[in-house]
Amino acid sequence: MATLILVRHGRSTANTSGVLAGRTPGIALDERGAAQAAALPGRLADVPLAAAVTSPLQRCRETLRPLLDARPGLPLHVEDRISECDYGDWSGRKLAELNDEPLMEVVQGHASAAAFPGGESMRAMQDRAVEAVRDWNARVEAEHGEDATYLMCSHGDIVKAIVADALGLHLDLFQRIHVDPCSVTAIRYTRLRPFLLRLGDTGDFAGFAPREHPGGNGAAEVGGGAGAP
């Protein structure tokens, strides 16, 4: 079956301002995010891509623009099922204040029971994203052969949820996965099992240096965070 290259969008203005963007319109890449996007074609230069699939949100489209400019024949498809989690009433709020919400403890430790007020549950988010991957795997394989590789540009929690499914991890464990902005994750799907080939690869090891983590010691950065400073 197909190999999937998952790209989290580049760093956005919401990432750097500590806001949970969700599906809020008008969230663009910041200066660093634009530079990350500009470097993406070079990072993927040796990878033959059959297609590119993107979340409909602006920050994902902007991330793929340099890659599409470098590969003018690469078809682009918009896929609503890999859009950001619908955080409902949490959208647009500061993560620092959301850390005091009782629901945040559930999001961190029991994600399968978490449902955002006015939005969707994390189980529904994972279900739709994994369904999209399965459908695109079949489509790409049918059109381009079982050795084809294609790319999806999506969001931190979506990428983590897809990786958890590929590894056979319960959704309650998905917060143990971390993917930085514009990181590349690769999953090769086969008839019997998926193989995780890369996880959150940025080629930059600066993020391994000690730094302050928002949300407290051991807390996952909901929405994915801004990456290394």
Side-chain angles (χ1 to χ4, degrees):
M1 296 178 67
T3 296
L4 169 62
I5 305 294
L6 277 167
V7 176
R8 184 186 167 200
H9 63 77
R11 197 174 75 174
S12 72
T13 54
N15 294 145
T16 45
S17 61
V19 168
L20 186 63
R23 299 180 179 181
T24 305
I27 302 297
L29 299 184
D30 68 5
E31 185 176 353
R32 179 170 179 177
Q36 291 170 334
L40 191 61
R43 293 168 60 198
L44 297 176
D46 294 331
V47 182
L49 294 173
V53 183
T54 184
S55 156
L57 296 180
Q58 178 179 339
R59 53 197 184 272
C60 288
R61 290 174 176 271
E62 289 182 357
T63 299
L64 287 189
R65 190 170 298 148
L67 179 66
L68 296 170
D69 288 344
R71 302 193 190 198
L74 182 65
L76 177 67
H77 308 274
V78 177
E79 174 56 78
D80 290 339
R81 291 175 294 178
I82 61 168
S83 187
E84 178 64 286
C85 183
D86 184 355
Y87 297 115
D89 297 343
W90 279 27
S91 300
R93 293 178 60 188
K94 288 280 190 179
L95 285 162
E97 69 180 45
L98 290 172
N99 286 329
D100 296 328
E101 294 279 354
L103 178 60
M104 182 61 84
E105 186 176 7
V106 183
V107 170
Q108 292 289 333
H110 191 18
S112 64
F116 296 98
E120 69 179 333
S121 69
M122 301 198 90
R123 282 188 296 113
M125 173 198 74
Q126 184 184 44
D127 287 347
R128 62 174 167 81
V130 169
E131 179 185 55
V133 169
R134 296 289 191 272
D135 288 349
W136 278 100
N137 284 350
R139 176 172 174 176
V140 168
E141 182 176 357
E143 294 180 4
H144 302 281
E146 62 181 13
D147 293 326
T149 298
Y150 72 106
L151 180 147
M152 279 186 169
C153 186
S154 189
H155 308 268
D157 281 348
I158 298 292
V159 174
K160 289 161 55 178
I162 293 170
V163 170
D165 172 77
L167 292 175
L169 291 178
H170 196 282
L171 183 61
D172 288 348
L173 303 179
F174 101 125
Q175 297 289 24
R176 300 183 182 193
I177 300 165
H178 179 80
V179 289
D180 276 339
C182 221
S183 61
V184 173
T185 294
I187 304 170
R188 177 175 294 135
Y189 288 86
T190 74
R191 186 173 63 86
L192 295 181
R193 64 183 60 85
F195 292 91
L196 181 63
L197 307 179
R198 294 285 189 280
L199 176 61
D201 187 351
T202 63
D204 180 1
F205 297 103
F208 296 166
R211 62 189 175 102
E212 182 179 347
H213 293 272
N217 186 32
E221 298 176 80
V222 178

